[in-house]
Amino acid sequence: MPIPMELQHASDDFERFLADARDGSGLATRNQTYTMVEGVLRSFRRRLAVQQALDFADALPPILRAIFVSRWDVSEPVLPFADRATLTREVQGLRQHHNFAPDTCLADVARALRRYVDAETFDRVLATLPDGAADFWRA
């Protein structure tokens, strides 16, 4: 079996995603953008049970999938979805002194991410997740 195309082009696709997220958020560097993206993914992951998170991860491009599950303590309690202001502060709390995520970070990452996922698959998975999941990814 040949290597799947999504894996063959994973780095290039990730760089394009980071550029889109950077431009959409007004951040200056890919490092700032990476921290914002990681914060958004971690914040979302905290609100899913393990199987739900794995189902969601399968809808992501390969490198974002890896970031989503990286350094995951599955023994942490699952949190309820919160209002956008609370979620935004949570994202901005990751590496707090090196985090430049704007107040629009959730929508900025969602907008960029939706350009790199299969929309039908992504929305189908979101529909199986707890209330608040689909709203989290509203751009």
Side-chain angles (χ1 to χ4, degrees), residues 6-7 10-11 17 26 36 41 83 85 94 106 108 113 119 128 132 135:
E6 74 170 356
L7 296 178
S11 288
F17 164 79
M36 174 183 68
L41 291 173
D83 61 86
L94 176 65
L106 296 174
D108 297 338
L113 180 64
T128 69
D135 190 52

Side-chain angles (χ1 to χ4, degrees), residues 5-34:
M5 291 301 284
E6 74 170 356
L7 296 178
Q8 289 187 48
H9 300 285
S11 288
D12 293 338
D13 291 344
F14 181 63
E15 288 299 327
R16 281 191 289 277
F17 164 79
L18 277 181
D20 283 349
R22 180 199 63 217
D23 294 348
S25 65
L27 292 174
T29 70
R30 57 194 298 278
N31 290 330
Q32 292 170 345
T33 306
Y34 176 86

Side-chain angles (χ1 to χ4, degrees), residues 9-95:
H9 300 285
S11 288
D12 293 338
D13 291 344
F14 181 63
E15 288 299 327
R16 281 191 289 277
F17 164 79
L18 277 181
D20 283 349
R22 180 199 63 217
D23 294 348
S25 65
L27 292 174
T29 70
R30 57 194 298 278
N31 290 330
Q32 292 170 345
T33 306
Y34 176 86
T35 295
M36 174 183 68
V37 169
E38 183 183 10
V40 169
L41 291 173
R42 283 185 179 201
S43 181
F44 187 71
R45 184 183 71 198
R46 285 187 185 110
R47 284 149 178 88
L48 303 177
V50 173
Q51 188 60 58
Q52 293 170 329
L54 292 174
D55 292 344
F56 177 77
D58 280 342
L60 297 174
I63 295 178
L64 291 170
R65 185 181 314 141
I67 295 166
F68 183 72
V69 300
S70 179
R71 293 185 293 264
W72 184 11
D73 180 355
V74 297
S75 68
E76 288 182 351
V78 175
L79 300 176
F81 280 94
D83 61 86
R84 288 183 85 76
T86 299
L87 295 167
T88 298
R89 283 192 304 276
E90 184 178 315
V91 170
Q92 293 167 335
L94 176 65
R95 291 187 287 281

